[in-house]
């Protein structure tokens, strides 16, 4: 990842001592930031597989464990997204292919987790839920597309929400944690389905908002 400071998401956690310390140790160990980005995709794939498996599991304990591990994988994906930039920019270990690794793995991770969540709900017995997951995934990719379109047109990167990446993943993490207890009220997949609808709707609002901001910037 190269030092593309204009395309860095503003994150307070970037200044946290634990993040700085982890990034420093990784840089000292000569860890390639592109490898960290790829690891984030691996966590997303594992999280998606766990959500899909959880939908088909009957035992409460196994189902809860799958959702808990999925939530952990989502957060691990975000941690990788944080650390790859810190290692690349603050410690100068970015390479020429850095901008590719900065964007493409994120899009793949979004699709894996959101589409995977849709299939997880469908495996729980709610037909058509996979389509909802795919709609949420496509809209998530569109939020990033509009941001990058703006940059290509000479505008600053727009990270506005309400469903930017951090908000999408925080919502999905919360959905997994709540879904752990869904059998207590005899629910099965409803929490995750409703959450995917919220993510899709919020992402659509984000696409519209960023597009309007871009049009306003071009007029200005």
């Amino acid at each position: 990842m190269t030092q593309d400071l204009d395309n860095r998401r503003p994150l307070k956690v970037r200044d946290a001592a634990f993040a700085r310390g982890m990034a420093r140790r990784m840089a000292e160990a000569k860890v390639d930031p592109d490898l960290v980005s790829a690891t984030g995709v691996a966590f997303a794939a594992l999280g998606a597989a766990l959500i899909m498996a959880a939908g088909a599991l009957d035992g409460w304990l196994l189902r809860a464990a799958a959702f808990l591990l999925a939530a952990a994988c989502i957060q691990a994906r975000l941690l990788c997204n944080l650390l790859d930039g810190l290692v690349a920019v603050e410690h100068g270990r970015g390479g020429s292919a850095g901008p590719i690794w900065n964007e493409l793995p994120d899009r793949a991770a979004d699709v894996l987790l959101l589409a995977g969540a849709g299939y997880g709900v469908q495996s729980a017995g709610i037909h058509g839920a996979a389509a909802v997951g795919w709609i949420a995934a496509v809209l998530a990719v569109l939020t990033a597309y509009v941001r990058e379109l703006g940059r290509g047109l000479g505008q600053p990167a727009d990270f506005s929400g309400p469903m930017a990446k951090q908000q999408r993943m925080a919502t999905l993490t919360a959905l997994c944690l709540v879904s752990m207890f869904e059998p207590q009220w005899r629910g099965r997949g409803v929490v995750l389905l409703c959450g995917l609808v919220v993510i899709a709707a919020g992402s659509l609002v984000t696409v519209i908002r960023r597009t309007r901001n871009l049009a306003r910037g071009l007029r200005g």
Side-chain angles (χ1 to χ4, degrees), residues 15-169:
D15 295 323
F18 83 91
R20 294 280 178 179
M22 290 181 69
R24 184 181 63 255
R25 288 191 291 273
M26 292 172 73
E28 291 171 352
K30 301 187 184 306
V31 175
D32 188 339
D34 296 346
L35 177 61
V36 181
S37 299
T39 302
V41 180
F43 275 120
L46 178 57
L50 287 164
I51 295 173
M52 288 189 286
L57 290 172
D58 290 323
W60 181 85
L61 188 59
L62 283 176
R63 186 177 183 276
F67 274 123
L68 181 62
L69 289 172
C73 285
I74 296 168
Q75 291 303 303
R77 173 254 169 130
L78 291 178
L79 181 60
C80 288
N81 292 163
L82 174 67
L83 292 174
D84 62 0
L86 286 172
V87 174
V89 177
E90 272 75 0
H91 297 277
R93 291 194 55 80
S96 59
I100 298 173
W101 286 97
N102 187 36
E103 288 296 326
L104 194 56
D106 263 356
R107 308 293 74 79
D110 277 337
V111 171
L112 284 167
L113 285 167
L114 294 172
Y119 283 111
V121 176
Q122 187 156 295
S123 68
I126 301 178
H127 298 294
V132 179
W134 276 109
I135 290 169
V138 169
L139 288 169
V141 172
L142 274 177
T143 64
Y145 172 79
V146 175
R147 169 171 52 81
E148 289 303 303
L149 175 63
R151 293 186 70 239
L153 293 172
Q155 299 298 307
D158 186 354
F159 294 104
S160 60
M163 272 292 170
K165 180 181 71 177
Q166 308 303 121
Q167 288 76 40
R168 290 193 300 269
M169 293 301 103

Side-chain angles (χ1 to χ4, degrees), residues 23 25 29 47 54 74 85 89 97-98 100 128-129 133 161 180 207 212 216-218:
R25 288 191 291 273
I74 296 168
V89 177
I100 298 173
M180 291 172 58
V207 170
R212 291 178 62 184
R216 190 178 301 115
L218 292 173

